[in-house]
Structure formats: structure tokens, C-alpha cells
Amino acid sequence: MVGAAKTCAALRLVTDVDGREVSVPDDPERIVLGFYFEDFVAVGGIDAIDRVVGISRHPWQGWRPTQFERYAALKPALNDLPDIGYSETSNFSAETVIALRPDVLLMAAMDYTATPEAMAQIEGAGIPVVTLDYNAQTIERHLASTRALGAVLGSEERAEELALNYETAMNDIYARIAASDALKGRKVYVELGTRGPGTVGNSYGSSMWGSLLTSMGAENIAASQIGSYGQLSPEYVIAEQPDLIFIAGSNGTTPDAVSMGVAYDAEVARGNIAAYAQRPGWENLPAIQNGNLFGINHGGARTLSDYTYAQFIAKQLYPATFADIDPEANLMEFYAKYLPIDASGAYMISALD
């Protein structure tokens, strides 16, 4: 049995997001990080990266290259960390994880579930696995994940501050909506815009943006059509006549794609989002006729700062109710307080102002 690197160290029990009690070294020096990279830094601080000995490179450097570059400028060792692969690209490697002799493996709950044979192999080698889940977009799982990270990293006080910050912000959103007499149930369509308006991108049913929309009293038109994520037909979107449309921008793969997040240009993104209004049949959609076409940074979902995107969406659904809220200013405040990088970029955009 390979075992973890600190088999003789003092241990602590950490309750992960799935309620499993996992025995982890009290001060882990070798951590393999599978997902939720900025949340790891928010809880542990920038120097927590010094403990990381392996990452799933694709969902960070591949999906968020500009964000990765800004962290790598602070911690150049990130560029050389071994890649453990990723479940969605079917190259997750238990052998690589075991060879790295980590004290703990931090995994997204969805990836833990998706790789049962690999997880059995890793845990069989004596390596503890702690699961996290920000994808569910529930307050409960956000808080449990944050507290689990705090327990692993010995940053319980900072984790609790972050958890309470998130809980307070989300509860404020839901309380405002519950007390509002504004019309609820407005139809909303979200589409991933990483390949431009000529290609239909994924929408979100029961997770991420879809879960947020439902929780805020909107009618997510994807909810009845897909599970976690998938494409909706153009004909269905037009037939549903959405009142608001959000294009989720990330690291675009074509010149007309919507690239958003750290270091991307907001005006370029705005123009690329506005191009979606020229799709056949979209000119008659209520969302387009009423100027309700927006861009949101896809990397902002499933994070400890996603309450600011929830505020942005809520402000479009219930303008008067959230008139005093400045979501982007709140996001910049989160970065200034909890994260070490320059946060300039494109995050929340109205495309048809």
C-alpha cells in the first residue's frame, strides 16, 4: 500500500460535502486539487498553493486561461504541476494521483461520483478523499464545502467568514424576492456562448445557472428539457418566448465567441453578446425587443463569489427590488478582500443598452 505521505502525523476528522467523515493529516503538506481552484485560494490564501502537488489542469488552465495566468504570475510553480487529468475528458488518472503521494485529494463531488473505480483505487492506497460541491448552487452545499476546505487547510476562521458572507448575501436575495410584489415566473434562457452565435451552446437545467434561476422565482425554460446541462433546439427557444436571455461567457473558441472573466475586454464581450440578437427569429423575442440580453461570466458560477452573479440576475428580474445593489462592485470587493489577483475583466454586461 502506497499510503499518504504523512501516515504518522496527527489526524483530524473532516466532514466533506457528502457527509462522509474523512481522516486527514492535521497539517497536510501535499494536496492534490481536482477542482474549485479560486475557492481553495479564497479559503487557504495564496500560499496554500505551495502545498499543491498536482491539479486537474484542463478545468483551470484550459477553461480559465487568463485567470490561471494571473495566479501563475504569483505562483510560477503552477505551470509545472503534474496534471492528474479530468473526468469529463476521460483521462483522470488514479495512478498519477497515487504516485504523487498526497496527504489528501480534494475532489468535486460530481467527479468523485463519475470515477468510482479510480476513487476506490486511490482510497485503497490509503489516500483520503474529501469531496466539495459548489455546482449544486445551494446555500447548504456551498457552506459545507467551504467549512470542509477550512478544516483541511487549517483555515477554519477564514472559512467561516466566507461561509457567513455567502449565506448572508444569498439569504438577502431570497428575502427581497419573497417580499417583492414584482411579477415572478418570468421566462429566462441561459446559453453558454463559447463558440459564438452560429453554434448552439449548452443551457442549464438542474445545476449552476439553472438552479439559481429556479431558486429566484424565474421560469428556467431549460428545466423541463434537460438534466444538468445540454442544448435546447432553436425552435424550442423561439417558441418559449423568453423574457430575459443570459449568454454565459468563458474562454471562447472562435473570434465571435463571448469570452468573459478575468482579463477579458468588456466592450469586446458586449459586442459579441449583442450579435446573438441577430439570430434568425430572435428579433421578435420579448427579451430582445425589451433590451433584456445580458452576459455573465460562466466562471463565476459554482464559486464562493457567485452570490454577486445571483444579485445581477435578480436585479434584471426584479429591477426595483434590487435598485440599491451593485453586483459588480460587490464582486470587486470580494476579490479585494479574499483573492490576491488583479480582478480587472468582463463579468456582468447588459448588451443592448
Side-chain angles (χ1 to χ4, degrees):
M1 179 178 293
V2 175
K6 296 182 70 175
T7 54
C8 297
L11 301 175
R12 65 165 66 190
L13 284 179
V14 173
T15 302
D16 71 11
V17 75
D18 293 316
R20 302 180 311 136
E21 287 194 334
V22 183
S23 184
V24 176
D26 193 48
D27 184 24
E29 295 175 356
R30 299 180 63 82
I31 298 172
V32 171
L33 181 57
F35 207 48
Y36 305 129
F37 309 103
E38 272 203 311
D39 307 295
F40 176 86
V41 175
V43 171
I46 184 64
D47 289 339
I49 289 177
D50 296 338
R51 301 198 237 174
V52 176
V53 296
I55 59 172
S56 282
R57 190 167 289 277
H58 179 71
W60 195 2
Q61 190 173 20
W63 290 354
R64 316 275 181 258
T66 53
Q67 182 194 90
F68 181 89
E69 287 169 8
R70 288 196 176 175
Y71 281 97
L74 298 175
K75 293 291 182 180
L78 280 172
N79 291 306
D80 301 317
L81 285 177
D83 180 16
I84 64 170
Y86 186 53
S87 64
E88 285 191 15
T89 51
S90 302
N91 66 343
F92 179 80
S93 172
E95 291 79 9
T96 300
V97 173
I98 292 168
L100 291 171
R101 299 178 296 107
D103 298 318
V104 61
L105 167 63
L106 297 173
M107 285 288 286
M110 60 182 179
D111 296 324
Y112 182 90
T113 301
T115 55
E117 293 182 2
M119 290 302 108
Q121 188 176 349
I122 290 165
E123 291 173 322
I127 297 168
V129 182
V130 172
T131 60
L132 312 169
D133 182 10
Y134 294 98
N135 279 65
Q137 292 294 166
T138 66
I139 294 175
E140 293 76 16
R141 288 180 80 79
H142 266 56
L143 302 190
S145 298
T146 305
R147 288 168 177 147
L149 270 174
V152 169
L153 296 173
S155 303
E156 291 91 343
E157 185 174 339
R158 185 175 172 95
E160 192 63 23
E161 179 181 338
L162 282 157
L164 292 178
N165 178 66
Y166 188 84
E167 183 177 34
T168 300
M170 291 302 295
N171 281 338
D172 175 68
I173 293 171
Y174 296 137
R176 286 172 182 251
I177 292 172
S180 174
D181 58 3
L183 178 66
K184 297 180 175 66
R186 300 175 76 192
K187 289 187 175 183
V188 183
Y189 174 52
V190 177
E191 181 179 330
L192 184 63
T194 53
R195 291 183 290 175
T199 302
V200 177
N202 285 331
S203 193
Y204 300 88
S206 59
S207 69
M208 295 178 64
W209 303 118
S211 178
L212 270 179
L213 288 169
T214 301
S215 73
M216 292 189 291
E219 181 183 339
N220 172 24
I221 68 169
S224 64
Q225 303 297 305
I226 56 179
S228 180
Y229 63 89
Q231 296 174 343
L232 300 181
S233 75
E235 297 78 13
Y236 174 79
V237 173
I238 292 171
E240 284 295 295
Q241 294 285 290
D243 299 299
L244 299 94
I245 295 173
F246 294 87
I247 304 300
S250 185
N251 175 39
T253 58
T254 65
D256 59 350
V258 179
S259 294
M260 295 182 69
V262 170
Y264 287 109
D265 186 278
E267 289 309 308
V268 172
R270 189 188 312 278
N272 287 353
I273 297 162
Y276 279 74
Q278 305 305 313
R279 276 178 164 175
W282 276 39
E283 70 275 7
N284 295 320
L285 296 180
I288 303 304
Q289 292 187 341
N290 296 320
N292 289 324
L293 175 63
F294 306 98
I296 45 177
N297 168 34
H298 192 55
R302 62 190 175 194
T303 68
L304 273 168
S305 61
D306 64 42
Y307 66 88
T308 63
Y309 296 91
Q311 290 172 337
F312 179 74
I313 293 170
K315 189 164 185 172
Q316 315 317 316
L317 290 166
Y318 313 102
T321 304
F322 290 87
D324 62 318
I325 298 294
D326 187 336
E328 190 157 15
N330 291 341
L331 177 61
M332 293 301 101
E333 181 181 353
F334 181 92
Y335 265 92
K337 189 171 185 178
Y338 296 114
L339 292 169
I341 63 169
D342 171 12
S344 59
Y347 298 98
M348 311 166 191
I349 293 170
S350 176
L352 300 180
D353 286 345

